[in-house]
Amino acid sequence: MAEKRAQFGTKIGVLMATVGSAVGLGNIWRFPYECGNGGGAAFLVVYIAFVFLLGVPAICAEFSLGRSSRKGMPLSFRVTDGSRRWDILGYASIIAAFMILAFYAVVAGWTLEYIMDSVTGLFKDTPNSDRHAQFASFVSGWRAVGWALLFLLINALVMTGGVVKGIERVSNILTPLLFLLLIVFSVNSLLMPGAAQGLEFMFKPDFSKLTTEVVLGALGQAFFSLSLGMGCLVTYSSYFSDDTPLVKTAMQISVLDTLVAVMAGVIIFPAVFSFGMSPAEGPTLVFEVLPNIFHNMPGGSFWSFLFFVLLALASLTSIISVSEIVVAFLCDCFGMTRIKATCIVTGISLVTATLCSLSFGSLAELNLFNIFDFLSSNVLLPLGGMGLCVFVGWRMKRSAYLEQMKRESGVPAFVFDYITIGIRFVAPACILTVFIAGLL
Ligand code: TRP
């Protein structure tokens, strides 16, 4: 007899697990650097439009597919369609998951280093003028590799140790705490001398800065930050109970996730201008700006310790959700035990994460870090998301996915129209347009 599929215990547990997956380095590390590269406010406007125009319908599509099939990748396609024709989407997801695991572990490793640095008082003792050189020397070395590997091992421990429940409980407390802390830091940044310039950069759009590249960046960032496009939410929703409200959850995730990203921007950009740095610094931006902020803040070591512990945990709940896609795949398709599946995923990731980390040092020529970051977020996730929307909107029976969503009360009828139109037309058309424009 088939084993009964696990289910989330409570409604708040569902919200915390999905928000825990969405809120992570994508909001606090990736959003500010992408927004900085994309010229600030213009990027933000396009980003928010993508979140609500495409993101919310696409989340609902993933949820309906996952809960109706009660399967992850690629089996959800197989059981729904009765054929193997859509498997390719599932396999692309697995590849994307491995790429994300590799570079995500590297950045998460940086947060572990910063926890240590907060304890030893390094931020306090190093003048801001030395920050760039100090960080450059850290990321280029083996120490950074060590932290990335440690993070992957912690992830493996959580995945196999059945502590997921514990993590769920802990993040019920920590996610709200991270929120509070972000508010404190936002206020702190708003009081800085460069605040006005930073806010203008972030909120006063100059649409002449919009290039196809920026639009593609915003699209990729929306998918990355919402954990969309590679079946992460299909897998999670296969554990939902029958009465979990899909549309409401999709809305809550999108609003909370966007709020965290905007707060990260409000913290970073005033500081960037205040310290005379460049907003288009790239992936290292946040890790050079934040220590400067803490250096100048009263009680900086305490605040930075608290912040990086919370950020490391937020990253852990996100990386768990990425690993879960592959682990669920190996267990469902090959009948492996969770332990064996986790060992395989971790073994491969240890190698790829090392290569990504060394992209800041001896492997800078190859720069696998940037390649994985770009390929997964800007190519595989949007294309995967498009495939998912086309599948749910056109292959799955309309009554089947609407039935999933309509199992909740208090949602006005037009919302279902907005989601259906989004899944069938808006999301596929927008993604296709952005890609064709990108190719030209
Ligand atoms: N959304 C997470 C973040 O912002 C990263 C993440 C977790 C993710 N699961 C995912 C990205 C699935 C894409 C797909 O940090």
Side-chain angles (χ1 to χ4, degrees):
M1 216 180 84
E3 200 182 310
K4 195 170 179 307
R5 202 165 177 83
Q7 276 193 7
F8 286 116
T10 59
K11 287 213 175 71
I12 190 84
V14 166
L15 187 65
M16 281 303 159
T18 47
V19 171
S21 163
V23 174
L25 292 169
N27 310 64
I28 288 164
W29 156 72
R30 202 173 187 282
F31 174 81
Y33 99 70
E34 282 283 329
C35 185
N37 280 343
F43 177 96
L44 181 65
V45 171
V46 179
Y47 174 77
I48 292 181
F50 280 146
V51 167
F52 290 97
L53 235 56
L54 320 183
V56 173
I59 296 176
C60 291
E62 289 208 19
F63 279 176
S64 316
L65 180 61
R67 190 169 63 184
S68 64
S69 66
R70 298 254 172 236
K71 293 276 184 282
M73 288 302 198
L75 290 182
S76 49
F77 294 115
R78 228 181 272 172
V79 301
T80 307
D81 195 49
S83 81
R84 287 172 171 254
R85 246 174 301 159
W86 294 80
D87 278 16
I88 176 85
L89 272 179
Y91 297 129
S93 308
I94 306 296
I95 295 172
F98 272 114
M99 291 186 183
I100 294 178
L101 280 174
F103 72 82
Y104 210 87
V106 172
V107 183
W110 299 348
T111 65
L112 297 183
E113 165 81 8
Y114 275 25
I115 294 176
M116 282 288 283
D117 289 351
S118 311
V119 175
T120 58
L122 193 71
F123 298 151
K124 271 267 156 289
D125 302 340
T126 311
N128 287 346
S129 53
D130 292 352
R131 199 78 60 195
H132 181 78
Q134 188 188 45
F135 187 70
S137 111
F138 159 69
V139 282
S140 65
W142 283 93
R143 208 179 143 84
V145 176
W147 287 120
L149 301 188
L150 178 65
F151 197 83
L152 283 170
L153 293 177
I154 297 175
N155 176 44
L157 217 67
V158 176
M159 293 293 291
T160 55
V163 255
V164 175
K165 272 246 154 57
I167 286 278
E168 220 181 284
R169 220 164 294 148
V170 172
S171 65
N172 283 358
I173 305 165
L174 293 183
T175 313
L177 193 59
L178 180 65
F179 240 82
L180 276 182
L181 212 58
L182 289 175
I183 295 176
V184 174
F185 294 160
S186 300
V187 173
N188 176 64
S189 279
L190 290 176
L191 296 175
M192 287 183 183
Q197 211 184 341
L199 290 180
E200 190 169 310
F201 178 77
M202 200 173 154
F203 293 112
K204 200 162 155 226
D206 168 7
F207 288 109
S208 66
K209 288 195 183 134
L210 272 190
T211 59
T212 12
E213 223 183 322
V214 173
V215 176
L216 180 61
L219 181 70
Q221 175 60 24
F223 274 81
F224 186 86
S225 194
L226 295 171
S227 303
L228 260 180
M230 57 184 223
C232 181
L233 300 177
V234 174
T235 308
Y236 267 32
S237 58
S238 75
Y239 311 125
F240 283 4
S241 69
D242 285 335
D243 57 359
T244 301
L246 302 189
V247 179
K248 214 186 279 167
T249 307
M251 274 295 184
Q252 284 164 332
I253 298 173
S254 308
V255 170
L256 289 174
D257 190 71
T258 306
L259 221 59
V260 174
V262 169
M263 279 201 278
V266 170
I267 295 169
I268 298 296
F269 291 119
V272 163
F273 288 100
S274 185
F275 296 121
M277 301 166 80
S278 157
E281 173 95 19
T284 55
L285 175 73
V286 176
F287 285 85
E288 291 182 21
V289 179
L290 285 172
N292 290 358
I293 299 180
F294 294 130
H295 182 78
N296 291 5
M297 217 171 155
S301 295
F302 164 77
W303 290 112
S304 68
F305 176 75
L306 196 59
F307 177 74
F308 285 112
V309 168
L310 292 176
L311 185 55
L313 283 162
S315 317
L316 187 61
T317 54
S318 297
I319 205 171
I320 285 173
S321 74
V322 184
S323 323
E324 181 63 28
I325 302 171
V326 192
V327 169
F329 160 72
L330 293 174
C331 294
D332 288 352
C333 287
F334 300 99
M336 281 183 200
T337 59
R338 261 188 98 78
I339 295 197
K340 189 167 172 202
T342 308
C343 286
I344 293 178
V345 175
T346 309
I348 296 174
S349 304
L350 288 175
V351 178
T352 48
T354 304
L355 298 176
C356 279
S357 185
L358 292 175
S359 298
F360 293 90
S362 48
L363 297 180
E365 295 257 313
L366 178 62
N367 209 340
L368 216 53
F369 184 100
N370 278 357
I371 295 176
F372 279 3
D373 186 2
F374 180 85
L375 261 189
S376 59
S377 312
N378 291 9
V379 181
L380 290 175
L381 295 184
L383 285 183
M386 183 169 87
L388 270 155
C389 286
V390 170
F391 181 83
V392 172
W394 299 96
R395 274 308 289 182
M396 208 171 148
K397 284 200 196 68
R398 190 163 173 181
S399 54
Y401 71 79
L402 277 178
E403 201 236 347
Q404 290 297 327
M405 284 182 258
K406 286 199 166 154
R407 281 198 206 144
E408 55 186 293
S409 52
V411 178
F414 75 88
V415 174
F416 294 110
D417 295 334
Y418 144 69
I419 288 168
T420 308
I421 294 171
I423 294 177
R424 304 189 105 188
F425 302 102
V426 182
C430 279
I431 297 171
L432 206 62
T433 314
V434 174
F435 267 93
I436 293 176
L439 287 180
L440 299 178

